[in-house]
Coordinates of all heavy atoms in Angstrom, one line a residue:
M1 N 7.3 -12.4 -86.0 CA 7.1 -12.3 -87.5 C 8.2 -11.4 -88.1 O 8.4 -10.4 -87.5 CB 5.7 -11.7 -87.8 CG 4.5 -12.5 -87.2 SD 3.0 -11.6 -87.4 CE 2.7 -11.9 -89.1
L2 N 8.8 -11.9 -89.2 CA 9.8 -11.2 -89.8 C 9.3 -10.5 -91.1 O 8.6 -11.2 -91.9 CB 11.0 -12.1 -90.1 CG 11.8 -12.7 -89.0 CD1 12.8 -13.7 -89.4 CD2 12.4 -11.6 -88.1
F3 N 9.7 -9.3 -91.2 CA 9.3 -8.5 -92.4 C 10.6 -7.9 -93.0 O 11.4 -7.3 -92.3 CB 8.3 -7.4 -92.1 CG 7.0 -8.0 -91.7 CD1 6.7 -8.2 -90.3 CD2 6.0 -8.3 -92.6 CE1 5.5 -8.7 -89.9 CE2 4.8 -8.9 -92.2 CZ 4.5 -9.1 -90.9
H4 N 10.7 -8.0 -94.3 CA 11.7 -7.3 -95.1 C 11.1 -6.0 -95.5 O 10.0 -6.0 -96.1 CB 12.2 -8.1 -96.3 CG 13.3 -7.5 -97.1 ND1 13.0 -6.7 -98.1 CD2 14.6 -7.6 -97.0 CE1 14.2 -6.3 -98.7 NE2 15.1 -6.8 -97.9
V5 N 11.7 -4.9 -95.2 CA 11.2 -3.6 -95.5 C 12.2 -2.8 -96.3 O 13.3 -2.6 -95.9 CB 10.8 -2.8 -94.2 CG1 10.2 -1.5 -94.5 CG2 9.8 -3.7 -93.4
K6 N 11.7 -2.2 -97.4 CA 12.6 -1.3 -98.2 C 12.0 0.1 -97.9 O 10.8 0.3 -98.2 CB 12.6 -1.6 -99.7 CG 13.4 -0.6 -100.5 CD 13.3 -1.0 -102.0 CE 14.2 0.0 -102.8 NZ 14.1 -0.2 -104.2
M7 N 12.8 1.0 -97.5 CA 12.4 2.4 -97.3 C 13.2 3.3 -98.2 O 14.5 3.3 -98.1 CB 12.7 2.8 -95.8 CG 12.0 2.0 -94.8 SD 12.5 2.6 -93.1 CE 12.3 1.1 -92.2
T8 N 12.5 4.1 -99.0 CA 13.2 5.0 -99.9 C 12.8 6.4 -99.4 O 11.6 6.7 -99.3 CB 12.8 4.8 -101.3 OG1 13.1 3.5 -101.7 CG2 13.5 5.8 -102.3
V9 N 13.8 7.2 -99.1 CA 13.5 8.6 -98.5 C 13.5 9.6 -99.6 O 14.5 9.6 -100.4 CB 14.5 8.9 -97.4 CG1 14.2 10.3 -96.8 CG2 14.6 7.8 -96.4
N10 N 12.5 10.4 -99.6 CA 12.4 11.5 -100.6 C 12.1 12.8 -99.9 O 10.9 13.2 -99.7 CB 11.3 11.3 -101.6 CG 11.7 10.3 -102.7 OD1 12.7 10.5 -103.4 ND2 11.1 9.2 -102.8
L11 N 13.1 13.5 -99.4 CA 12.9 14.8 -98.7 C 12.7 15.9 -99.8 O 13.4 15.8 -100.9 CB 14.1 15.2 -97.8 CG 14.3 14.3 -96.6 CD1 15.6 14.7 -95.9 CD2 13.1 14.3 -95.7
P12 N 11.8 16.8 -99.6 CA 11.6 17.9 -100.6 C 13.0 18.6 -100.8 O 13.7 18.9 -99.8 CB 10.6 18.8 -100.0 CG 9.9 18.0 -98.9 CD 10.9 16.9 -98.4
V13 N 13.3 19.0 -102.0 CA 14.6 19.6 -102.3 C 14.6 21.0 -101.6 O 15.7 21.5 -101.2 CB 14.8 19.8 -103.8 CG1 15.2 18.5 -104.4 CG2 13.6 20.4 -104.5
D14 N 13.5 21.6 -101.3 CA 13.5 22.9 -100.7 C 13.2 22.9 -99.2 O 13.0 23.9 -98.6 CB 12.4 23.8 -101.4 CG 11.0 23.3 -101.2 OD1 10.9 22.1 -100.8 OD2 10.0 24.0 -101.6
M15 N 13.4 21.7 -98.6 CA 13.2 21.6 -97.1 C 14.3 22.3 -96.4 O 15.5 22.2 -96.8 CB 13.2 20.1 -96.7 CG 13.0 19.9 -95.2 SD 12.9 18.2 -94.7 CE 11.2 17.9 -94.6
N16 N 13.9 23.0 -95.4 CA 14.9 23.7 -94.5 C 15.9 22.8 -94.1 O 15.6 21.7 -93.5 CB 14.1 24.4 -93.4 CG 15.0 25.0 -92.4 OD1 15.9 24.4 -91.8 ND2 14.8 26.3 -92.2
P17 N 17.2 23.0 -94.3 CA 18.3 22.1 -93.9 C 18.3 21.7 -92.4 O 18.6 20.6 -92.0 CB 19.6 22.8 -94.3 CG 19.2 23.8 -95.3 CD 17.8 24.2 -95.0
E18 N 17.9 22.7 -91.5 CA 17.9 22.4 -90.1 C 16.7 21.5 -89.8 O 16.9 20.6 -88.9 CB 17.8 23.7 -89.3 CG 19.1 24.4 -89.2 CD 19.0 25.9 -89.0 OE1 17.9 26.4 -88.6 OE2 19.9 26.6 -89.5
A19 N 15.6 21.7 -90.4 CA 14.4 20.8 -90.2 C 14.8 19.4 -90.7 O 14.5 18.4 -90.0 CB 13.2 21.3 -91.0
A20 N 15.5 19.3 -91.8 CA 15.9 18.0 -92.3 C 16.9 17.3 -91.4 O 16.7 16.1 -91.1 CB 16.5 18.1 -93.7
A21 N 17.8 18.1 -90.9 CA 18.8 17.5 -89.9 C 18.1 17.0 -88.6 O 18.5 16.0 -88.1 CB 19.9 18.6 -89.6
R22 N 17.1 17.8 -88.2 CA 16.4 17.4 -87.0 C 15.6 16.1 -87.2 O 15.6 15.2 -86.4 CB 15.4 18.5 -86.5 CG 15.0 18.4 -85.1 CD 14.4 19.7 -84.6 NE 13.5 20.4 -85.5 CZ 13.8 21.6 -86.1 NH1 14.9 22.2 -85.8 NH2 13.0 22.1 -86.9
L23 N 14.9 16.0 -88.4 CA 14.2 14.8 -88.7 C 15.1 13.6 -88.7 O 14.8 12.5 -88.2 CB 13.6 14.9 -90.1 CG 12.2 15.6 -90.2 CD1 11.8 15.7 -91.7 CD2 11.1 14.7 -89.4
K24 N 16.3 13.7 -89.4 CA 17.3 12.6 -89.5 C 17.8 12.2 -88.1 O 17.9 11.0 -87.8 CB 18.4 13.0 -90.4 CG 18.0 13.1 -91.9 CD 19.2 13.6 -92.7 CE 18.7 14.0 -94.1 NZ 19.8 14.5 -94.9
A25 N 18.0 13.2 -87.2 CA 18.5 12.9 -85.9 C 17.4 12.1 -85.1 O 17.7 11.2 -84.4 CB 18.9 14.2 -85.2
D26 N 16.2 12.6 -85.2 CA 15.1 11.9 -84.5 C 14.9 10.5 -85.1 O 14.6 9.6 -84.3 CB 13.8 12.7 -84.7 CG 13.8 14.1 -83.9 OD1 14.8 14.2 -83.1 OD2 13.0 14.9 -84.2
E27 N 15.0 10.4 -86.4 CA 14.9 9.1 -87.0 C 16.0 8.1 -86.5 O 15.7 7.0 -86.1 CB 15.0 9.2 -88.5 CG 14.9 7.9 -89.3 CD 13.5 7.5 -89.7 OE1 12.6 8.4 -89.5 OE2 13.3 6.4 -90.1
K28 N 17.2 8.6 -86.4 CA 18.3 7.8 -85.9 C 18.1 7.4 -84.5 O 18.3 6.2 -84.2 CB 19.6 8.6 -86.0 CG 20.8 7.8 -85.6 CD 22.1 8.7 -85.9 CE 23.3 7.9 -85.5 NZ 24.6 8.6 -85.8
A29 N 17.6 8.3 -83.7 CA 17.4 7.9 -82.2 C 16.4 6.8 -82.1 O 16.6 5.9 -81.4 CB 17.0 9.2 -81.5
L30 N 15.3 7.0 -82.8 CA 14.2 5.9 -82.8 C 14.7 4.6 -83.4 O 14.4 3.5 -82.8 CB 12.9 6.4 -83.4 CG 11.7 5.4 -83.4 CD1 11.4 5.0 -82.0 CD2 10.5 6.1 -84.1
A31 N 15.4 4.7 -84.5 CA 15.9 3.5 -85.1 C 16.8 2.7 -84.2 O 16.8 1.5 -84.1 CB 16.6 3.8 -86.5
Q32 N 17.7 3.5 -83.5 CA 18.6 2.8 -82.6 C 17.9 2.2 -81.4 O 18.3 1.1 -80.9 CB 19.7 3.8 -82.2 CG 20.6 4.1 -83.5 CD 21.8 4.9 -83.2 OE1 21.9 5.6 -82.2 NE2 22.8 4.8 -84.1
R33 N 16.9 2.9 -80.9 CA 16.1 2.4 -79.8 C 15.4 1.0 -80.2 O 15.4 0.0 -79.5 CB 15.1 3.4 -79.3 CG 14.4 3.0 -78.0 CD 13.8 4.2 -77.3 NE 13.9 5.5 -78.0 CZ 12.9 6.2 -78.4 NH1 11.7 5.8 -78.3 NH2 13.1 7.4 -79.0
L34 N 14.8 1.1 -81.4 CA 14.1 -0.2 -81.9 C 15.1 -1.3 -82.1 O 14.8 -2.5 -81.9 CB 13.3 0.2 -83.1 CG 12.1 1.1 -82.9 CD1 11.5 1.6 -84.2 CD2 11.0 0.4 -82.1
Q35 N 16.3 -1.0 -82.6 CA 17.4 -2.0 -82.7 C 17.7 -2.6 -81.4 O 17.9 -3.8 -81.2 CB 18.6 -1.4 -83.5 CG 18.3 -1.2 -84.9 CD 19.5 -0.4 -85.6 OE1 20.5 -1.0 -85.9 NE2 19.3 0.9 -85.8
E36 N 17.9 -1.7 -80.4 CA 18.3 -2.2 -79.1 C 17.2 -3.1 -78.5 O 17.4 -4.1 -77.8 CB 18.5 -1.0 -78.1 CG 19.9 -0.4 -78.3 CD 19.9 1.1 -77.8 OE1 19.0 1.5 -77.1 OE2 20.9 1.7 -78.1
Q37 N 15.9 -2.8 -78.8 CA 14.8 -3.6 -78.4 C 14.6 -4.9 -79.2 O 13.8 -5.7 -78.9 CB 13.5 -2.8 -78.5 CG 13.4 -1.6 -77.5 CD 12.2 -0.7 -77.8 OE1 11.4 -1.0 -78.7 NE2 12.1 0.3 -77.1
G38 N 15.4 -5.1 -80.3 CA 15.3 -6.3 -81.1 C 14.2 -6.2 -82.1 O 13.9 -7.2 -82.8
K39 N 13.5 -5.1 -82.2 CA 12.4 -5.0 -83.1 C 12.9 -4.7 -84.6 O 12.3 -5.2 -85.5 CB 11.5 -3.8 -82.8 CG 10.8 -4.0 -81.4 CD 9.6 -4.9 -81.5 CE 8.9 -5.1 -80.2 NZ 8.1 -6.3 -80.2
W40 N 14.0 -4.0 -84.7 CA 14.6 -3.6 -86.0 C 15.9 -4.4 -86.0 O 16.9 -4.0 -85.6 CB 14.8 -2.1 -86.0 CG 15.0 -1.5 -87.3 CD1 15.7 -2.1 -88.4 CD2 14.7 -0.2 -87.8 NE1 15.7 -1.2 -89.5 CE2 15.1 0.0 -89.1 CE3 14.0 0.9 -87.2 CZ2 14.9 1.1 -89.9 CZ3 13.8 2.1 -87.9 CH2 14.2 2.2 -89.2
R41 N 15.8 -5.6 -86.7 CA 16.9 -6.5 -86.6 C 18.1 -6.2 -87.5 O 19.2 -6.4 -87.2 CB 16.4 -7.9 -87.1 CG 15.8 -8.7 -85.9 CD 16.5 -10.0 -85.8 NE 15.6 -11.0 -85.4 CZ 15.6 -12.2 -85.8 NH1 16.5 -12.6 -86.7 NH2 14.7 -13.1 -85.4
H42 N 17.8 -5.7 -88.7 CA 18.8 -5.3 -89.6 C 18.5 -4.0 -90.3 O 17.3 -3.7 -90.5 CB 19.0 -6.3 -90.7 CG 19.4 -7.7 -90.3 ND1 20.8 -7.9 -90.1 CD2 18.8 -8.8 -89.9 CE1 20.9 -9.2 -89.7 NE2 19.7 -9.7 -89.6
L43 N 19.6 -3.2 -90.5 CA 19.4 -1.9 -91.2 C 20.6 -1.7 -92.1 O 21.7 -1.6 -91.6 CB 19.3 -0.8 -90.1 CG 19.3 0.7 -90.6 CD1 18.2 0.9 -91.7 CD2 19.2 1.6 -89.5
W44 N 20.3 -1.8 -93.4 CA 21.4 -1.7 -94.4 C 21.1 -0.5 -95.4 O 20.0 -0.4 -95.9 CB 21.5 -3.0 -95.2 CG 22.0 -4.1 -94.4 CD1 21.2 -5.0 -93.7 CD2 23.3 -4.5 -94.1 NE1 22.0 -5.9 -93.0 CE2 23.3 -5.7 -93.3 CE3 24.5 -4.1 -94.6 CZ2 24.4 -6.3 -92.9 CZ3 25.7 -4.7 -94.1 CH2 25.6 -5.8 -93.3
R45 N 22.1 0.3 -95.6 CA 22.0 1.2 -96.7 C 22.0 0.5 -98.0 O 22.8 -0.4 -98.2 CB 23.2 2.2 -96.6 CG 23.3 3.2 -97.7 CD 22.2 4.2 -97.8 NE 22.2 5.2 -96.7 CZ 21.1 5.5 -96.0 NH1 19.9 5.0 -96.3 NH2 21.1 6.5 -95.1
I46 N 21.2 1.0 -99.0 CA 21.3 0.5 -100.3 C 22.3 1.3 -101.1 O 22.1 2.6 -101.2 CB 19.9 0.5 -101.0 CG1 18.9 -0.3 -100.2 CG2 20.0 0.0 -102.5 CD1 17.5 -0.3 -100.7
A47 N 23.4 0.8 -101.5 CA 24.5 1.6 -102.1 C 24.0 2.4 -103.2 O 23.3 2.0 -104.1 CB 25.6 0.6 -102.6
G48 N 24.3 3.7 -103.1 CA 24.0 4.6 -104.2 C 22.6 5.2 -104.1 O 22.2 6.0 -105.0
H49 N 21.9 4.9 -103.0 CA 20.5 5.4 -102.9 C 20.3 6.0 -101.5 O 20.9 5.5 -100.6 CB 19.5 4.3 -103.2 CG 19.6 3.7 -104.5 ND1 18.8 4.2 -105.6 CD2 20.3 2.7 -105.0 CE1 19.1 3.5 -106.7 NE2 20.0 2.6 -106.4
Y50 N 19.4 6.9 -101.4 CA 18.9 7.3 -100.0 C 17.8 6.4 -99.7 O 16.6 6.8 -99.7 CB 18.5 8.8 -100.1 CG 18.3 9.4 -98.7 CD1 18.6 8.7 -97.5 CD2 17.7 10.6 -98.5 CE1 18.3 9.2 -96.3 CE2 17.5 11.2 -97.3 CZ 17.8 10.4 -96.1 OH 17.5 11.0 -94.9
A51 N 18.2 5.2 -99.4 CA 17.2 4.1 -99.1 C 17.9 3.0 -98.3 O 19.1 3.0 -98.2 CB 16.7 3.5 -100.4
N52 N 17.0 2.2 -97.6 CA 17.6 1.1 -96.8 C 16.8 -0.1 -97.0 O 15.6 -0.1 -97.3 CB 17.7 1.5 -95.3 CG 16.4 1.6 -94.7 OD1 15.7 0.6 -94.4 ND2 15.9 2.9 -94.4
Y53 N 17.4 -1.2 -96.8 CA 16.8 -2.5 -96.6 C 16.8 -2.8 -95.1 O 17.9 -2.8 -94.5 CB 17.5 -3.7 -97.3 CG 17.3 -3.6 -98.8 CD1 18.3 -3.7 -99.7 CD2 16.0 -3.6 -99.4 CE1 18.2 -3.7 -101.0 CE2 15.8 -3.6 -100.7 CZ 16.9 -3.7 -101.6 OH 16.7 -3.7 -102.9
S54 N 15.7 -3.2 -94.5 CA 15.6 -3.5 -93.1 C 14.9 -4.8 -92.9 O 14.1 -5.2 -93.7 CB 14.8 -2.3 -92.4 OG 15.6 -1.1 -92.3
V55 N 15.1 -5.4 -91.7 CA 14.4 -6.5 -91.3 C 13.8 -6.2 -89.9 O 14.5 -5.8 -89.0 CB 15.2 -7.8 -91.2 CG1 14.4 -9.0 -90.6 CG2 15.7 -8.2 -92.6
F56 N 12.5 -6.3 -89.8 CA 11.8 -6.1 -88.5 C 11.3 -7.4 -88.0 O 10.9 -8.3 -88.7 CB 10.6 -5.1 -88.8 CG 11.0 -3.7 -88.9 CD1 11.4 -3.2 -90.1 CD2 10.9 -2.8 -87.8 CE1 11.7 -1.9 -90.3 CE2 11.3 -1.5 -88.0 CZ 11.7 -1.0 -89.2
D57 N 11.4 -7.5 -86.7 CA 10.9 -8.7 -86.0 C 9.8 -8.2 -85.0 O 10.1 -7.7 -83.9 CB 12.1 -9.4 -85.2 CG 11.7 -10.7 -84.6 OD1 10.4 -11.1 -84.6 OD2 12.5 -11.4 -84.0
V58 N 8.6 -8.4 -85.4 CA 7.5 -7.9 -84.6 C 6.4 -9.0 -84.4 O 6.5 -10.0 -85.0 CB 6.8 -6.7 -85.4 CG1 7.7 -5.5 -85.4 CG2 6.4 -7.1 -86.8
D59 N 5.5 -8.7 -83.5 CA 4.5 -9.7 -83.2 C 3.3 -9.7 -84.1 O 2.6 -10.7 -84.2 CB 3.9 -9.4 -81.8 CG 5.0 -9.6 -80.7 OD1 5.9 -10.4 -80.9 OD2 4.9 -9.0 -79.6
S60 N 3.1 -8.6 -84.9 CA 1.9 -8.6 -85.8 C 2.1 -7.6 -86.9 O 3.0 -6.7 -86.8 CB 0.7 -8.2 -85.0 OG 0.8 -6.9 -84.5
V61 N 1.3 -7.7 -87.9 CA 1.3 -6.7 -89.0 C 1.0 -5.3 -88.4 O 1.5 -4.3 -88.8 CB 0.3 -7.1 -90.1 CG1 0.3 -6.1 -91.2 CG2 0.8 -8.4 -90.7
Q62 N 0.0 -5.3 -87.5 CA -0.4 -4.1 -86.9 C 0.8 -3.4 -86.2 O 1.0 -2.2 -86.3 CB -1.5 -4.3 -85.9 CG -2.1 -3.0 -85.3 CD -2.9 -2.2 -86.4 OE1 -3.7 -2.8 -87.0 NE2 -2.5 -1.0 -86.6
E63 N 1.6 -4.2 -85.4 CA 2.8 -3.6 -84.8 C 3.7 -3.0 -85.8 O 4.3 -1.9 -85.6 CB 3.5 -4.7 -83.9 CG 4.6 -4.0 -83.1 CD 5.4 -5.0 -82.2 OE1 5.1 -6.3 -82.3 OE2 6.2 -4.6 -81.5
L64 N 4.0 -3.7 -86.9 CA 4.9 -3.2 -87.9 C 4.3 -1.9 -88.4 O 5.1 -0.9 -88.5 CB 5.0 -4.2 -89.1 CG 5.9 -3.7 -90.2 CD1 7.3 -3.6 -89.8 CD2 5.8 -4.7 -91.4
H65 N 3.1 -1.9 -88.8 CA 2.4 -0.7 -89.3 C 2.6 0.5 -88.3 O 3.0 1.6 -88.7 CB 0.9 -0.9 -89.5 CG 0.2 0.3 -90.0 ND1 0.3 0.7 -91.3 CD2 -0.7 1.1 -89.4 CE1 -0.5 1.8 -91.4 NE2 -1.1 2.0 -90.3
D66 N 2.3 0.2 -87.0 CA 2.4 1.3 -86.0 C 3.9 1.8 -85.9 O 4.1 3.0 -85.7 CB 1.9 0.8 -84.7 CG 0.4 0.5 -84.7 OD1 -0.3 1.0 -85.6 OD2 -0.1 -0.2 -83.8
L67 N 4.8 0.9 -85.9 CA 6.2 1.3 -85.8 C 6.6 2.2 -87.0 O 7.3 3.2 -86.8 CB 7.2 0.1 -85.8 CG 7.2 -0.8 -84.5 CD1 8.3 -1.9 -84.6 CD2 7.6 0.1 -83.3
L68 N 6.2 1.7 -88.2 CA 6.6 2.5 -89.4 C 6.0 3.9 -89.4 O 6.7 4.9 -89.7 CB 6.3 1.7 -90.6 CG 7.0 0.4 -90.8 CD1 6.5 -0.3 -92.0 CD2 8.5 0.7 -91.0
M69 N 4.8 3.9 -88.9 CA 4.1 5.2 -88.9 C 4.7 6.2 -87.9 O 4.5 7.4 -88.1 CB 2.6 5.1 -88.6 CG 1.9 4.5 -89.9 SD 0.1 4.9 -89.9 CE 0.1 6.6 -90.1
Q70 N 5.3 5.7 -86.9 CA 6.0 6.5 -85.9 C 7.3 7.2 -86.4 O 7.8 8.1 -85.7 CB 6.4 5.7 -84.7 CG 5.4 5.3 -83.7 CD 6.1 4.5 -82.6 OE1 7.2 4.7 -82.2 NE2 5.3 3.5 -82.1
L71 N 7.8 6.6 -87.4 CA 9.2 7.1 -87.9 C 9.1 8.6 -88.3 O 8.2 8.9 -89.1 CB 9.7 6.2 -89.0 CG 9.9 4.8 -88.7 CD1 10.4 4.0 -90.0 CD2 11.0 4.6 -87.6
P72 N 10.0 9.4 -87.8 CA 9.9 10.8 -88.2 C 10.0 11.1 -89.7 O 9.4 12.0 -90.2 CB 11.1 11.4 -87.5 CG 11.3 10.5 -86.3 CD 11.0 9.1 -86.8
L73 N 10.7 10.2 -90.4 CA 10.8 10.3 -91.9 C 9.6 9.7 -92.6 O 9.6 9.7 -93.9 CB 12.1 9.8 -92.4 CG 13.4 10.6 -92.0 CD1 14.6 9.8 -92.5 CD2 13.3 12.0 -92.7
F74 N 8.7 9.1 -91.9 CA 7.6 8.3 -92.5 C 6.9 9.1 -93.6 O 6.6 8.6 -94.7 CB 6.6 7.8 -91.5 CG 5.4 7.1 -92.1 CD1 5.5 5.8 -92.5 CD2 4.2 7.8 -92.4 CE1 4.4 5.1 -93.1 CE2 3.2 7.2 -93.0 CZ 3.3 5.8 -93.4
P75 N 6.6 10.4 -93.4 CA 5.8 11.2 -94.4 C 6.6 11.4 -95.7 O 6.0 11.7 -96.7 CB 5.6 12.6 -93.8 CG 5.8 12.3 -92.3 CD 6.8 11.2 -92.2
Y76 N 7.9 11.1 -95.6 CA 8.8 11.3 -96.8 C 9.3 10.0 -97.4 O 10.3 10.0 -98.1 CB 10.0 12.2 -96.4 CG 9.5 13.5 -95.8 CD1 9.5 13.7 -94.4 CD2 8.9 14.5 -96.6 CE1 9.1 14.8 -93.8 CE2 8.5 15.7 -96.0 CZ 8.5 15.8 -94.6 OH 8.1 17.0 -94.0
M77 N 8.7 8.9 -97.0 CA 9.2 7.6 -97.4 C 8.2 6.9 -98.3 O 7.0 6.9 -98.1 CB 9.4 6.7 -96.2 CG 10.7 7.0 -95.4 SD 10.6 5.9 -93.9 CE 12.3 6.2 -93.3
A78 N 8.8 6.2 -99.3 CA 8.1 5.1 -100.0 C 8.5 3.8 -99.4 O 9.7 3.6 -99.2 CB 8.4 5.2 -101.5
I79 N 7.5 3.0 -99.0 CA 7.8 1.8 -98.2 C 7.3 0.6 -98.9 O 6.1 0.6 -99.4 CB 7.2 1.9 -96.8 CG1 7.9 3.1 -96.0 CG2 7.5 0.6 -96.0 CD1 7.4 3.3 -94.6
E80 N 8.1 -0.4 -99.1 CA 7.7 -1.7 -99.6 C 8.0 -2.8 -98.6 O 9.1 -2.8 -98.0 CB 8.5 -2.0 -100.9 CG 8.3 -1.0 -102.0 CD 9.3 -1.2 -103.2 OE1 9.5 -2.3 -103.6 OE2 9.9 -0.2 -103.6
I81 N 7.0 -3.7 -98.4 CA 7.1 -4.7 -97.3 C 6.9 -6.1 -97.9 O 6.0 -6.3 -98.7 CB 6.0 -4.4 -96.3 CG1 6.3 -3.0 -95.6 CG2 6.1 -5.5 -95.2 CD1 5.2 -2.6 -94.7
D82 N 7.7 -7.0 -97.5 CA 7.5 -8.4 -97.8 C 7.6 -9.2 -96.5 O 8.5 -9.1 -95.7 CB 8.7 -9.0 -98.7 CG 8.5 -8.4 -100.1 OD1 7.5 -8.6 -100.7 OD2 9.5 -7.8 -100.6
A83 N 6.6 -10.0 -96.3 CA 6.6 -10.9 -95.1 C 7.5 -12.1 -95.4 O 7.6 -12.6 -96.5 CB 5.2 -11.4 -94.8
M84 N 8.2 -12.6 -94.3 CA 9.2 -13.7 -94.5 C 8.9 -14.8 -93.5 O 8.4 -14.6 -92.4 CB 10.6 -13.2 -94.3 CG 11.0 -12.1 -95.3 SD 12.8 -11.8 -95.3 CE 13.0 -11.1 -93.6
C85 N 9.1 -16.0 -94.0 CA 9.1 -17.2 -93.1 C 10.3 -18.0 -93.3 O 11.1 -17.8 -94.2 CB 7.8 -18.0 -93.3 SG 7.6 -18.6 -94.9
R86 N 10.5 -19.0 -92.4 CA 11.7 -19.8 -92.4 C 11.9 -20.6 -93.7 O 10.9 -21.2 -94.2 CB 11.6 -20.8 -91.2 CG 12.9 -21.5 -91.0 CD 12.8 -22.4 -89.7 NE 14.0 -23.2 -89.7 CZ 15.2 -22.9 -89.5 NH1 15.5 -21.6 -89.2 NH2 16.2 -23.7 -89.6
H87 N 13.1 -20.6 -94.3 CA 13.4 -21.4 -95.4 C 13.8 -22.8 -95.0 O 14.6 -22.9 -94.0 CB 14.5 -20.7 -96.2 CG 14.6 -21.3 -97.6 ND1 15.1 -22.6 -97.8 CD2 14.3 -20.8 -98.8 CE1 15.1 -22.8 -99.1 NE2 14.6 -21.8 -99.8
P88 N 13.2 -23.8 -95.6 CA 13.5 -25.2 -95.2 C 15.0 -25.6 -95.3 O 15.5 -26.5 -94.6 CB 12.7 -26.1 -96.1 CG 12.3 -25.2 -97.2 CD 12.3 -23.8 -96.7
S89 N 15.8 -24.8 -96.1 CA 17.2 -25.2 -96.2 C 18.1 -24.3 -95.3 O 19.3 -24.5 -95.4 CB 17.6 -25.0 -97.7 OG 16.9 -25.7 -98.6
S90 N 17.5 -23.4 -94.6 CA 18.3 -22.6 -93.7 C 19.0 -23.4 -92.6 O 18.4 -24.3 -92.0 CB 17.4 -21.5 -93.0 OG 18.2 -20.8 -92.1
I91 N 20.3 -23.1 -92.4 CA 21.0 -23.8 -91.3 C 21.0 -23.0 -90.0 O 21.6 -23.4 -89.0 CB 22.5 -24.0 -91.7 CG1 23.2 -22.7 -92.0 CG2 22.6 -24.9 -92.9 CD1 24.7 -22.9 -92.0
R92 N 20.3 -21.8 -90.0 CA 20.3 -21.0 -88.8 C 19.1 -21.3 -88.0 O 18.0 -20.9 -88.3 CB 20.3 -19.5 -89.2 CG 21.5 -19.2 -90.1 CD 21.7 -17.7 -90.3 NE 22.7 -17.5 -91.3 CZ 24.0 -17.7 -91.2 NH1 24.5 -18.1 -90.0 NH2 24.8 -17.5 -92.2
E93 N 19.3 -22.1 -86.9 CA 18.2 -22.6 -86.1 C 17.5 -21.4 -85.4 O 16.3 -21.6 -85.0 CB 18.8 -23.5 -85.0 CG 19.3 -24.8 -85.6 CD 18.3 -25.6 -86.4 OE1 17.1 -25.5 -86.1 OE2 18.7 -26.3 -87.4
D94 N 18.2 -20.3 -85.2 CA 17.5 -19.2 -84.5 C 16.6 -18.3 -85.4 O 16.0 -17.4 -84.9 CB 18.5 -18.3 -83.7 CG 19.5 -17.7 -84.7 OD1 19.7 -18.2 -85.8 OD2 20.2 -16.7 -84.2
D95 N 16.6 -18.6 -86.7 CA 15.7 -17.8 -87.6 C 14.3 -18.2 -87.3 O 14.0 -19.4 -87.1 CB 16.0 -18.1 -89.0 CG 17.2 -17.3 -89.5 OD1 17.7 -16.5 -88.7 OD2 17.7 -17.5 -90.6
R96 N 13.4 -17.3 -87.3 CA 12.0 -17.6 -87.2 C 11.2 -17.1 -88.4 O 11.7 -16.2 -89.1 CB 11.4 -16.9 -85.9 CG 11.9 -17.6 -84.7 CD 11.4 -16.9 -83.4 NE 12.2 -15.7 -83.2 CZ 11.6 -14.5 -82.8 NH1 10.4 -14.4 -82.7 NH2 12.4 -13.5 -82.6
Ligands
LIG1 O1 18.5 6.9 -94.0 C1 17.6 6.1 -94.1 O2 17.6 5.1 -94.9 C2 16.3 6.3 -93.3 C3 16.6 5.9 -92.0 C4 16.1 4.8 -91.3 C5 16.6 4.7 -90.0 C6 17.5 5.9 -90.0 O3 18.2 6.3 -89.1 O4 17.4 6.5 -91.2

C-alpha cells in the first residue's frame, strides 16, 4: 500500500541545540534504514520549508502508523497522509 505523507517539523525555538542535533541524526539513521528496506520509497524536501513529502510502501495502515510513531522527530511533527492507488493512465507497470 502506498501512502503520500507530508511531514512538517516544528522544533521548539528554545530546544537545546545538541538535543536537536541528536534527534535529527537519529531521524536520519532510521529514515535511511527504512529507505534501504524499501518501506520509505521517496523523501523530498519541500523547498523553503522544514518539511518533506514522502512516499511509504507498507503492508497496512497500522504498519504506517507504527513506523511514523517510531520517528524520533514524531513528537515535533504535523503529519498529513493520503492513501494512493494506481492511476489507470500510468505507464509505470511497477507502480502498485
Ligand atoms: O527533515 C525532515 O523533513 C524530517 C526528516 C525526515 C527524515 C529525516 O531524516 O528528516
